[in-house]
Structure formats: C-alpha cells, structure tokens
Amino acid sequence: MDDHDSDEIHAPPPPRKSREVLTLARRRRLMRVMTAVLLGCIVGAYTLGALSERVIAEEETDLLPVSLEALIIGAAFTLASLPTAWSIVGRVLIPVPTFYIYLTVLLGKNPPLPFYAAFVVAGLYSAVLTALSRDLAERPMRPKLGSSRTRSRRATIG
C-alpha cells in the first residue's frame, strides 16, 4: 500500500523539449519578427510615397514632417504585427492616424477624390492594415495549409 500511496503523491516530471524543437521554435519566432519588421518598412515606404503625391501643400498645416508621419505608421504596423501579447498597443495606434493620413492624401491628389469616396477608401486602408497586423500577430493559432500536422490528421482520419 505504501507504493500505491507514493505514486499518487509524486507526479512524473514534465517532459523536456529537445534542442531541435527549441531551435526550430526560435527560428520560427525570429522569422515572424523579421516578417513584421519588413512589412512595417514596406507600409512606411508606401505611406511616404502616398504622402509625396499630395498636390495641396499640407506641409504648412501638418504638425509633423512627412517622413515622420510615414515612420509612425510603419512603426505602429510593425509593433502591431509582432508575435507578442502587447502587440495590441500597435493595433490601437493604427486606425486613427492611418485614416487621417490617407484621407488627406486622397483629398489632396490631383484630381481629388470626392469626399465620400475618399472617406470610404481611407477607412478601408485603415481597416485592412489593422486586420493584416492582427493576422500576422496571431498566425500560429491556426494550422498552415499543407503543414505536416494537417497531413498527419488527414492520414489518421481518412
């Protein structure tokens, strides 16, 4: 009986992860961070290009230089796309500045878009960037298409 009681008291130690698994996890996380940084740079460059197309002299009424505005949008997108729990901060920062910047761009083009169309398109830019950053930050929650995990499930099911 003593052996039976000691089994109930002492649980087995949790299994350790192998070095190979830890290395692959570290590499996957680094690739996700690098993807977020690269896409943040692309969003910043795209925003800078869009801001340079404005015909109306917004530089006189802007609070920040054009390059700093593009940098803020790119940095907010990068922050929102990182695979961390606090990436929600970036997703909170994206919608309003992106909407305002793209609204001024669309209204300042030659010829300008009608206000209602510019309003809708700026809202779409803002929503797409927010949704894309959310998808990038939370990507590991769903299995990738064609992954070995999906194939092994198909083999066991079918």
Side-chain angles (χ1 to χ4, degrees):
M1 286 211 158
D2 289 331
D3 291 336
H4 204 286
D5 291 336
S6 65
D7 288 340
E8 293 176 0
I9 295 173
H10 300 291
R16 289 193 209 169
K17 294 182 179 177
S18 69
R19 277 183 199 227
E20 194 173 304
V21 170
L22 292 174
T23 303
L24 288 173
R26 192 176 307 121
R27 184 176 300 142
R28 188 171 44 247
R29 185 166 178 85
L30 179 64
M31 289 303 296
R32 290 183 61 213
V33 168
M34 293 306 295
T35 300
V37 170
L38 178 67
L39 288 176
C41 290
I42 290 171
V43 167
Y46 180 78
T47 304
L48 184 62
L51 287 169
S52 67
E53 286 189 15
R54 291 189 295 193
V55 177
I56 299 173
E58 289 287 332
E59 290 84 27
E60 298 169 3
T61 60
D62 279 349
L63 297 175
L64 299 172
V66 171
S67 57
L68 188 58
E69 289 177 354
L71 181 68
I72 288 171
I73 297 297
F77 184 82
T78 300
L79 180 66
S81 301
L82 290 175
T84 59
W86 46 266
S87 67
I88 187 76
V89 173
R91 278 179 260 155
V92 169
L93 295 176
I94 288 177
V96 174
T98 303
F99 176 79
Y100 177 73
I101 286 174
Y102 281 100
L103 184 63
T104 61
V105 165
L106 294 169
L107 291 175
K109 290 177 85 171
N110 189 16
L113 280 175
F115 181 76
Y116 297 114
F119 191 86
V120 169
V121 172
L124 285 174
Y125 273 122
S126 177
V128 165
L129 286 180
T130 305
L132 180 61
S133 67
R134 179 185 170 273
D135 187 54
L136 289 170
E138 297 176 0
R139 186 175 34 196
M141 297 303 204
R142 64 178 195 271
K144 294 180 182 177
L145 294 175
S147 68
S148 60
R149 185 183 307 166
T150 307
R151 278 185 246 134
S152 65
R153 278 192 209 145
R154 280 189 220 142
T156 59
I157 294 171

